[in-house]
Amino acid sequence: MTPLNRNQIAWRAAQDIRDGMLVNLGIGIPSHAADFIPPDRDVFVQSENGIIGCGALAGKAEADSDLVDASSRRITLRPGAAIVDSVASFAMIRGGHIDVTILGAFEVAAKGDLANWDSGVPDKGPLIGGAMDLAACTGEVWVTMEHTTRSGGARLLDACTLKLTAVRCVTRVYTDLAVVEVTPEGFLVHEILPGLSREELQARTGAALRFAPDCRTLEAPPLAAA
Amino acid sequence: MTPLNRNQIAWRAAQDIRDGMLVNLGIGIPSHAADFIPPDRDVFVQSENGIIGCGALAGKAEADSDLVDASSRRITLRPGAAIVDSVASFAMIRGGHIDVTILGAFEVAAKGDLANWDSGVPDKGPLIGGAMDLAACTGEVWVTMEHTTRSGGARLLDACTLKLTAVRCVTRVYTDLAVVEVTPEGFLVHEILPGLSREELQARTGAALRFAPDCRTLEAPPLAAA
Amino acid sequence: MPIDKRVNSTAEALHGVQDGAVVMISGFAGAGFANILIHALAELGPRDLTLVVNSATHPLSRTHELIEAGLVRKVICSAARGRGRDLSPFEKLWKEGRIELECLPQGTFSERIRAGGAGIPAFYTPVGVGTEIEMGREVRRFNGRDCVMEEAIVGDVALVRANVADRYGNLSFRYAQANFGPAMLTACKLAVVEVCEARDEPLPQTAIQMPGSFVDRVFAVGDGVGEGA
Amino acid sequence: MPIDKRVNSTAEALHGVQDGAVVMISGFAGAGFANILIHALAELGPRDLTLVVNSATHPLSRTHELIEAGLVRKVICSAARGRGRDLSPFEKLWKEGRIELECLPQGTFSERIRAGGAGIPAFYTPVGVGTEIEMGREVRRFNGRDCVMEEAIVGDVALVRANVADRYGNLSFRYAQANFGPAMLTACKLAVVEVCEARDEPLPQTAIQMPGSFVDRVFAVGDGVGEGA
């Protein structure tokens, strides 16, 4: 039983991106989902700084300091890309025009609350960025994260302990151990890592899990760690 | 004693447009002010449909149905003209970025209230257009109009009788008989038609007039009637 | 499947528009009327429509066809006065009490549509204070100035005219053609655009005035035919 | 006198900026920092500034020069966390209680600036409900959803980077360079732009992304020098 690595989590989430979607990908694991979108799906990736249609990362020769995504990475544009200013970018986000946003998280509560902007590190300044807008206003909010903290603490909880990003927003969670839907009745597991028992998964989770009748094994191709 | 014709009223108002101003000109007399701006002043004319830098009316050969001002007139662009959409155009108007708007009016009250969108003609539908935004949010609101109605009724009043466009907004009134400033103490006449006595002007006005210490004669060059 | 928002007929362009729909129609002062789509909608004939259109009476817009066909229950606009003394089709039905009217300041009209597309449920504006617009509205003072609260307007379908589109729905407009179009495209569930030309190859990024992500369907009508009477 | 908004020095560009000014600084993710103007402002040295800037800590922005020089009383931003474990200049002063901080969701940050320039004193947004943003804010329900009221932000001076300007102040931006710039130019009494190139001849209408009517002064810095460290 080997938990998925970060690239594999990103891969798994990417398989659920539907053809024609407009998606926003957060920093970290979510950003890698762009690399694993199945090639038969034509997807536009939006970035908060106004890029609609982010392409691959720029090679050294083509890198341009004005062509960046919201994570300050120098990128390229895909065919059909457009660029707007920040006001229009967040009008697009707040107006619900993004189909799905994939975000990293520290904690997710059983009713869908998300904590992903303040890990409680002392002294460091706050960083809200676009997370609250994306979480509060996007129709589907998917979270990719490790199922537990490094010290084994649960991240899927009855109630978040860290500062909230938005309430009742997360619709799905992709972890290294499971794919979990957030339903009005709480967490519903759709996929579980092969070799991991339901009891073991529950033991690593801070809220009651239910299991879908057709709960499957969580599988991903071998991928180098991100 | 000949009252100014409509082109002369427009001319007189145009003399007060200062160098570098961004102005919006309403339908009717105000639109003619564009023709009389002194040539030493570099002025941009904005139109509510998003044109910033209206030029002269288009000749037949250059007329383009997509290049119109808010009055549906086919126009040209001046050098340096820009075009924005309606949301941005009214953000500009509401945000106070227009220096002066010159509007037609049915009535102006001594405290600056403006009535210019509904003349009370029965049966006809209402037409607000951009008048309320322009009147409420432009720093200087100048009115050009005949001093009285066709039947001799006063248009400068203690209180408007027609539906209001905005309250406490008009700063100056240019009529065929006088140039009148709207002050916190009411109407203050700065210029009066030669041959017209102060008493005669007062008789044609529905609110008390005061006269500036340096009150001058109202003069305009001979111009064909508009 | 490669994205391609181009459709081949007005029937495809308007598929799904139903009775009771809130229809936003762009165009101002003669520029940007989606007259082919408006005409097709009149022929399709959904009833009980609410039109969100700057003018209910502009002679160069075919909006009057929807009104004359008796398809319109309500108009939200900033201008509803026909030219001259005779009553326009809108004014006739309005006088007879057969069409409801909400007439707004043009900046409030455009900003309410923008708010609808931008996830802003309501905002305050000083425009209309002290006028009949104030009636029925909440008034609140900010920085010493009274303002009225205005709520967002959202729609079911937007009918917008642009100049050139690409397969992704990216748009460019000619001169004053954009006007209410971009905002309306953001505020409606279904965003339909008629264009002179719909290209297979993408528009260059610098030529795009409206990202295709706000556009659902593009219908090419050829040069000029959508304009005028 | 023919309009010409081009100035020949940073001193001219920043003339009149005073102690206590609210300074808006554009730029995001490495693109669009007006670093020549920011550096010149730090040398000019007005005190007690309030900065309205998306990030108080971006390593490619020279905003830190203003902070390190002790000129800043308050920062309004959406990001104030430096990279790594060491504290950034902002975080040091903030920890010591020497800089006040208002950290906002980025869309609320940009929309409040836009509101400041668009004559909207306040608006409602669902963003921040149920979070610490809600504290001290009015909450109101629209269409079944709680929203917070947010007020406009206005400023004294905007420092913005663009690519090309003309004598009228019309601007075009490269790629993601615009970001907060257009909104900030509308929201400030004095709008100053640094550009690679300031042309005498007007930009073609189709190339203008920001009308010059919102721009007061343009300073040409030549290609590339304004960017990066």
Side-chain angles (χ1 to χ4, degrees), chain D residues 7-116:
Chain D
V7 298
N8 294 312
S9 67
T10 56
E12 259 186 279
L14 298 176
H15 179 73
V17 179
Q18 296 184 321
D19 288 357
V22 176
V23 182
M24 295 196 183
I25 296 177
S26 186
F28 183 31
F33 299 121
N35 274 333
I36 300 291
L37 291 175
I38 298 169
H39 177 72
L41 185 65
E43 299 217 311
L44 185 66
R47 312 206 143 257
D48 205 28
L49 302 177
T50 294
L51 300 188
V52 179
V53 60
N54 181 59
S55 168
T57 59
H58 198 286
L60 294 180
S61 165
R62 285 186 179 160
T63 299
H64 65 85
E65 294 183 13
L66 296 166
I67 291 166
E68 286 170 316
L71 306 175
V72 180
R73 183 180 69 75
K74 180 177 177 179
V75 168
I76 302 174
C77 67
S78 87
R81 188 182 302 159
R83 295 180 184 184
R85 294 190 169 229
D86 293 342
L87 295 187
S88 62
F90 167 80
E91 288 166 300
K92 274 183 207 137
L93 291 171
W94 171 66
K95 276 294 295 175
E96 293 167 8
R98 291 167 61 197
I99 293 191
E100 194 184 332
L101 171 64
E102 182 175 356
C103 191
L104 298 168
Q106 195 169 131
T108 297
F109 174 83
S110 57
E111 188 71 11
R112 285 178 65 179
I113 296 165
R114 189 257 175 194

Side-chain angles (χ1 to χ4, degrees), chain B residues 49 64-66 68-69 72 83 85-87 90 94 117 123-129 132-133 136-137 163-165, chain C residues 28-29 58 78 80-82 84 86 91 94-95 101 105-107 111 125 127 130-132 145 174-176 179:
Chain B
N49 65 335
D64 186 312
S65 63
D66 290 327
V68 289
D69 67 10
S72 302
I83 302 179
D85 75 356
S86 294
V87 168
F90 279 92
R94 199 188 314 99
W117 71 275
D123 297 346
K124 296 295 287 179
L127 196 172
I128 300 177
M132 286 193 183
D133 301 88
C137 299
K163 289 181 178 178
L164 291 180
T165 307
Chain C
F28 183 31
H58 199 287
S78 87
R81 188 182 303 159
D86 292 341
E91 289 167 301
W94 171 66
K95 276 293 295 173
L101 170 65
Q106 195 169 133
E111 188 70 12
T125 169
V127 178
T131 77
E132 68 173 37
R145 183 152 199 214
R174 287 187 77 240
Y175 296 120
N179 55 72

